[in-house]
Amino acid sequence: MFIDAHCHLIYKESSQNIPEHLAAINQLMQENNLDYIVSNTSTPDYFHLIEHEKKYPKILSAIAINRNLAKDRSKHQEYLKLLRTNVEKYNPEAIGEVGLDYYAEITPDYAPKAQQYILEQEILLAKEFDLPLVIHSLYSDADLLAILRKHHAEEMRVHIHGTQITQEFSQDFIDMGFYFSLSYYHHFDEPDMVFWIDKIPFDHLLFETDSPYAYSVKNKKGASNSADVISNYNLYCEKTGKKIDTVIEQVSNNFKRFYRL
């Protein structure tokens, strides 16, 4: 059975018809032997919709505050209060995706100090509720590492999704015992990131699609889905020579250990 450790099921286009959308995702999972998927929702307006995900035991929910919202400092406390309220009410399986993104073309006026503040508050919340963290990082390796060390994140369950940590810092993050997921659009299609295929410890390896935002072998950006993760498993086997059954079993064990399933 395959696992998509990071995707987005609740987003602007899907939020108008969530029950039907999730029913279709559940059918997709059954048809493609998907054991689990992790749905990340980082827009406060949509937090309440994860109540629909709770109807599907194999869809795990992660909620957080999108880094793009951090620049509006006047709303920090409002967003953090909403996050806490919904964590208490809906009991998500993770806080995510959180993190830092210093790529201005994607995150205009990216306000690094504001992002750092929100991230630190989310780390504290995850610790309080004993929840794992799903982390996004882009061009922010040194700052992210410093914050995670400050809060002793090596004692937490941390998943670096769509791993874009540069080679310079890669061993620092590995040494903290984190989990890392490979995605098609980064690790099988970007020369600067292919080193992660061999770098990730096998017992801390996950796969993801980041759908629908990321492109895949079969689907263009905006049209990808969790079934695309199967191609990542197969590409990993082609690159490493590992047998698919061995990889499926190990990744399943990793995932269940991380989420305490």
Side-chain angles (χ1 to χ4, degrees):
M1 301 286 276
F2 301 96
I3 294 171
D4 181 2
H6 186 91
C7 66
H8 301 270
L9 299 184
I10 298 175
Y11 48 92
K12 184 177 180 180
E13 291 77 9
S14 72
S15 63
Q16 306 302 315
N17 203 13
I18 284 294
E20 291 81 359
H21 176 61
L22 293 179
I25 294 295
N26 185 58
Q27 183 65 30
L28 178 80
M29 293 175 70
Q30 295 179 36
E31 293 172 352
N32 291 275
N33 293 319
L34 292 172
D35 200 7
Y36 290 96
I37 61 178
V38 181
S39 172
N40 289 255
T41 302
S42 54
T43 303
D45 288 346
Y46 302 153
F47 284 167
H48 67 284
L49 295 175
I50 72 167
E51 66 178 317
H52 296 286
E53 293 177 339
K54 290 299 180 181
K55 299 174 183 177
Y56 301 95
K58 296 302 183 78
I59 297 177
L60 307 189
S61 301
I63 62 173
I65 300 167
N66 192 298
R67 59 199 169 272
N68 291 294
L69 300 176
K71 61 188 177 184
D72 189 351
R73 292 171 174 82
S74 67
K75 290 192 173 183
H76 280 184
Q77 299 313 310
E78 175 187 341
Y79 291 148
L80 290 167
K81 183 178 180 180
L82 277 170
L83 180 59
R84 171 178 287 276
T85 297
N86 284 274
V87 167
E88 292 174 343
K89 184 174 182 179
Y90 295 116
N91 192 30
E93 282 75 24
I95 302 296
E97 63 184 86
V98 307
L100 304 176
D101 192 322
Y102 295 172
Y103 187 38
E105 290 184 25
I106 295 177
T107 311
D109 184 24
Y110 58 88
K113 293 300 182 184
Q115 287 194 49
Q116 291 167 29
Y117 172 76
I118 292 293
L119 171 59
E120 292 201 57
Q121 298 307 305
E122 290 173 314
I123 291 172
L124 293 173
L125 187 69
K127 282 191 167 187
E128 180 181 344
F129 287 89
D130 192 23
L131 291 172
L133 281 170
V134 181
I135 291 183
H136 169 102
S137 177
L138 188 58
Y139 299 143
S140 59
D141 297 355
D143 285 348
L144 177 61
L145 184 62
I147 289 171
L148 293 173
R149 283 176 169 166
K150 172 184 174 181
H151 292 282
H152 302 286
E154 71 278 1
E155 300 172 359
M156 304 174 66
R157 290 171 287 152
V158 175
H159 167 205
I160 308 292
H161 104 82
T163 311
Q164 296 183 78
I165 306 296
T166 58
Q167 197 154 7
E168 176 186 359
F169 288 91
S170 59
Q171 195 60 47
D172 293 296
F173 285 86
I174 289 171
D175 289 345
M176 293 188 78
F178 299 158
Y179 290 68
F180 305 86
S181 54
L182 295 176
S183 61
Y184 172 74
Y185 64 107
H186 288 142
H187 306 103
F188 301 106
D189 203 36
E190 284 190 12
D192 291 344
M193 290 290 120
V194 296
F195 75 91
W196 275 107
I197 295 172
D198 295 316
K199 188 82 171 177
I200 297 174
F202 197 35
D203 63 349
H204 282 65
L205 171 69
L206 300 169
F207 293 99
E208 68 165 83
T209 62
D210 204 10
S211 59
Y213 300 118
Y215 61 87
S216 66
V217 173
K218 295 181 180 179
N219 290 308
K220 64 183 180 179
K221 186 175 181 180
S224 57
N225 62 61
S226 286
D228 291 323
V229 79
I230 297 169
S231 297
N232 298 342
Y233 278 78
N234 289 327
L235 285 168
Y236 178 80
C237 291
E238 290 177 16
K239 298 288 186 181
T240 63
K242 289 183 169 63
K243 296 185 180 299
I244 188 67
D245 289 346
T246 301
V247 174
I248 289 172
E249 180 179 7
Q250 183 64 60
V251 171
S252 179
N253 289 339
N254 298 345
F255 184 85
K256 290 177 179 179
R257 185 190 322 120
F258 184 81
Y259 281 103
R260 297 176 180 167
L261 298 173

